[in-house]
Amino acid sequence: MAVEDFTPGLNFIRTIIEADIKAGKNGGRVHTRFPPEPNGYLHIGHAKSICLNFGLAAEYKGFCNLRFDDTNPGKEDVEYVDSIMADVRWLGFDWQDRLYYASDYFEQLYEFALHLIRSGQAYVCDLTAEQVRQYRGTLTECGINSPCRDRSAEENLDLFQRMRAGEFPDGSYVLRAKIDMASPNLNMRDPVLYRIRRESHHRTGDAWCIYPMYDYTHPISDALEGVTHSICTLEFEDHRPFYDWVLDNLPVPCHPQQIEFARLNLSYTVMSKRKLLELVDKALVHGWDDPRLPTIAALRRRGFTPEAIRNFAELIGVAKRESVVDMALLEHCLREDLNKRAKRVMAVLRPLKVVITNYPEGQVEELDAENNPEDPAAGTRRLPFSRELYIEQEDFREDPPKKFFRLSLGKEIRLKHAYYIRCDEVVKDNNGRITELRCSYDPESRGGWTKDGRKVLGTSHWVSAAQALDVEVRLYDKLLSVANPAGENEEKDFKEYLNPASLEIVKNCKVEPSLAAAKPGDRFQFLRQGYFCVDSDSSPQALVFNRSVTLRDSWAKIEKSQQSK
RNA sequence: UGGGGUGUGGCCAAGCGGUAAGGCAUCGGCCUUUGGAGCCGAGAUUCGUAGGUUCGAAUCCUACCGCCCCAGCCA
């Protein structure tokens, strides 16, 4: 089955939603949200969540909100909110007028806290952070009640209001929910609701010195927005009882259902914000959009299309078991998309000069070349051909192995769209390095075929030397040299697995002249090599291309299996 | 040895009591003016393990095993 024919299967979330709709829950409404914390750049794992949330909303004629979970000012920044919005839009999703910030609810969150205090379900605690931890107990032992647990509502109200008013130093008091210090679920052992922190917030500035915790903020934000299905990752499963506790004990408009799914892991890369941040901070990569990273910004710069990423998100499915998806699937999605739409061009990465000895000196002729065999509507272009050309170094071998269809002494190959050429002589320098090939062409083979039906197996790409453009090409490869560092030696830091060959810069590559007008972001297939896009560092005088993904290379496989024999 | 999850081919993933979808990867073959693309075909007697229920179990029951998450005033 071709991927474009793929119809979304039922995953467990769709199953839940359809059951809810059938049961008439929420009046049949589906309303989701994507709630990033603006403390880093979005990555492909977030893309899975974005596609899920926005996709489900679209599928069931509902809505999906974009909401920034910005309750921890110390880590958050507008740089991140801007990048997140740009990335979600680029992926092709639209939150219309439903852009929210948890910080917009600070006043309501505060009122709800007052409500909990009045109903005796929250109290101000003056234990130190260290004491709170000690009182919490352990995984196997119950916690101990805080001595502040039985403070009167009046006193709690007074203290909490004074917390807000800034009368107490940072960390001196917290507001806690009064639930059960003996609960086997640590999240229910009187979790902290508010902490005092004199930090400037990227939106509310210095208006507040107390900030609500995620666990308290999230369910209320969902309810205030009328969210029906609050989809999050597995590690929040343990938090669900508290999510429900908050909503059950507060006069909120509705009670959304929290549903947890497994986050995406991808082989040969890292996905945690901490690790990504570390790579960027330590300059192990060149910024958040370094094309080796799995961030959305990096994938965009690398040449990925939103379509490829969305298709990928659909293909990987949604489930609750933790898994590591093969990077090959992501690459497959890009190839599949670009195969249909990328213009084919010729580029020689490592040039080997070829002189066509029987071609008239000074003559230049123009050949027709199709732009995309998958899409006749893409039209054709003209290609200059002349006496001096470049072909790829690896397309010539002095000692051709078995099944090597390319050029070697005395052998004939086809130059794509041009002529058959035969290699007559190999020219070397004093060190024995091949510097030039002297070949002859068959004038009868113009266009790449002859009437005699002669079989020519090999077809190489080439460029005409005089008209070629000199460009820089950046060859990207896997970030890590192992598929799953977590499955390796646990003592080792992930940085020890960084692939030293993840970036190879190749200068003085030769590309056909039609590329002169290429603009940053333009995508092409370099014939027989891969898909490339013009990098943001590129300029008309100094073109720079990124390799997005290679083409499948069956010769490489054959050669590899020959060598292993 | 507390609680919450989860185990289906190399990697994902359907399946929800009636006799193992699909995708990626792999391996054959065809085709080819990209060794690209495309096309055709192959692969789990078996669903973590062991018992049990049933005419019939990946699906139900029991026990065991493995892996993940939780002791932030992070999200």
Side-chain angles (χ1 to χ4, degrees), chain A residues 126-146:
Chain A
D126 51 24
L127 252 28
T128 64
E130 173 62 22
Q131 287 171 317
V132 167
R133 189 180 334 132
Q134 285 165 353
Y135 278 62
R136 184 155 34 226
T138 69
L139 294 178
T140 53
E141 296 165 90
C142 290
I144 301 164
N145 283 172
S146 162

Side-chain angles (χ1 to χ4, degrees), chain A residues 108-124 149 151-154 156-157 160 175-179 191-194 212 215-217 219-220 242-252:
Chain A
Q108 290 168 87
L109 259 1
Y110 177 81
E111 292 299 325
F112 280 127
L114 259 21
H115 180 100
L116 286 176
I117 293 172
R118 289 194 196 98
S119 64
Q121 289 166 295
Y123 62 96
V124 172
R149 211 171 191 258
R151 257 202 257 267
S152 69
E154 292 66 36
N156 282 321
L157 238 25
F160 187 52
L175 181 72
R176 294 227 254 167
K178 190 194 284 189
I179 307 178
V192 171
L193 267 25
Y194 271 91
D215 278 333
Y216 171 69
T217 307
I220 295 173
F242 182 63
Y243 182 98
D244 290 329
W245 183 93
V246 170
L247 298 179
D248 285 341
N249 290 288
L250 251 16
V252 288

Side-chain angles (χ1 to χ4, degrees), chain A residues 66-126:
Chain A
L66 174 61
R67 180 173 72 231
F68 288 98
D69 240 316
D70 54 352
T71 57
N72 188 4
K75 291 186 176 175
E76 296 151 8
D77 195 274
V78 285
E79 176 195 353
Y80 298 125
V81 345
D82 292 342
S83 76
I84 288 168
M85 290 197 284
D87 289 346
V88 175
R89 271 197 209 99
W90 178 77
L91 278 172
F93 298 104
D94 184 5
W95 54 87
Q96 297 167 311
D97 59 346
R98 297 178 310 281
L99 170 63
Y100 301 107
Y101 294 83
S103 54
D104 287 344
Y105 308 134
F106 280 173
E107 195 61 50
Q108 290 168 87
L109 259 1
Y110 177 81
E111 292 299 325
F112 280 127
L114 259 21
H115 180 100
L116 286 176
I117 293 172
R118 289 194 196 98
S119 64
Q121 289 166 295
Y123 62 96
V124 172
C125 182
D126 51 24

Side-chain angles (χ1 to χ4, degrees), chain A residues 109-316:
Chain A
L109 259 1
Y110 177 81
E111 292 299 325
F112 280 127
L114 259 21
H115 180 100
L116 286 176
I117 293 172
R118 289 194 196 98
S119 64
Q121 289 166 295
Y123 62 96
V124 172
C125 182
D126 51 24
L127 252 28
T128 64
E130 173 62 22
Q131 287 171 317
V132 167
R133 189 180 334 132
Q134 285 165 353
Y135 278 62
R136 184 155 34 226
T138 69
L139 294 178
T140 53
E141 296 165 90
C142 290
I144 301 164
N145 283 172
S146 162
C148 313
R149 211 171 191 258
D150 295 318
R151 257 202 257 267
S152 69
E154 292 66 36
E155 192 184 352
N156 282 321
L157 238 25
D158 174 62
L159 251 17
F160 187 52
Q161 283 160 347
R162 289 164 61 195
M163 278 169 65
R164 177 182 183 170
E167 290 186 30
F168 310 119
D170 287 10
S172 56
Y173 287 99
V174 290
L175 181 72
R176 294 227 254 167
K178 190 194 284 189
I179 307 178
D180 178 11
M181 290 306 289
S183 172
N185 181 344
L186 305 218
N187 296 300
M188 298 301 268
R189 319 241 263 227
D190 291 10
V192 171
L193 267 25
Y194 271 91
R195 72 285 214 187
I196 302 174
R197 243 180 223 203
R198 262 157 269 257
E199 263 171 324
S200 242
H201 186 280
H202 66 100
R203 299 197 84 234
T204 60
D206 297 318
W208 295 84
C209 64
I210 58 172
Y211 290 97
M213 300 290 287
Y214 164 86
D215 278 333
Y216 171 69
T217 307
H218 208 83
I220 295 173
S221 303
D222 283 342
L224 293 176
E225 292 172 20
V227 165
T228 57
H229 302 271
S230 180
I231 300 167
C232 62
T233 44
L234 249 31
E235 67 270 26
F236 292 104
E237 210 150 18
D238 286 342
H239 298 232
R240 194 169 66 225
F242 182 63
Y243 182 98
D244 290 329
W245 183 93
V246 170
L247 298 179
D248 285 341
N249 290 288
L250 251 16
V252 288
C254 63
H255 189 137
Q257 177 183 6
Q258 177 177 302
I259 302 170
E260 311 85 9
F261 72 98
R263 61 176 353 130
L264 170 67
N265 293 297
L266 249 193
S267 60
Y268 298 102
T269 191
V270 293
M271 212 67 97
S272 90
K273 276 188 181 178
R274 199 208 93 226
K275 290 175 182 169
L276 291 172
L277 219 202
E278 190 179 351
L279 291 176
V280 172
D281 277 354
K282 293 186 173 162
L284 267 10
V285 295
H286 310 314
W288 285 103
D289 66 345
D290 186 303
R292 289 170 289 187
L293 260 21
T295 57
I296 305 298
L299 292 170
R300 177 169 57 229
R301 185 170 175 186
R302 172 103 170 223
F304 271 76
T305 60
E307 290 83 355
I309 293 174
R310 280 190 249 126
N311 191 229
F312 172 75
E314 189 58 53
L315 288 178
I316 57 176

Side-chain angles (χ1 to χ4, degrees), chain A residues 312-330:
Chain A
F312 172 75
E314 189 58 53
L315 288 178
I316 57 176
V318 183
K320 296 193 71 157
R321 88 178 71 148
E322 295 198 49
S323 59
V324 181
V325 173
D326 196 335
M327 181 63 91
L329 181 60
L330 216 210

Side-chain angles (χ1 to χ4, degrees), chain A residues 51-66:
Chain A
C51 292
L52 221 205
N53 279 294
F54 279 92
L56 250 15
E59 194 177 332
Y60 293 104
K61 309 269 183 288
F63 299 106
C64 180
N65 302 350
L66 174 61

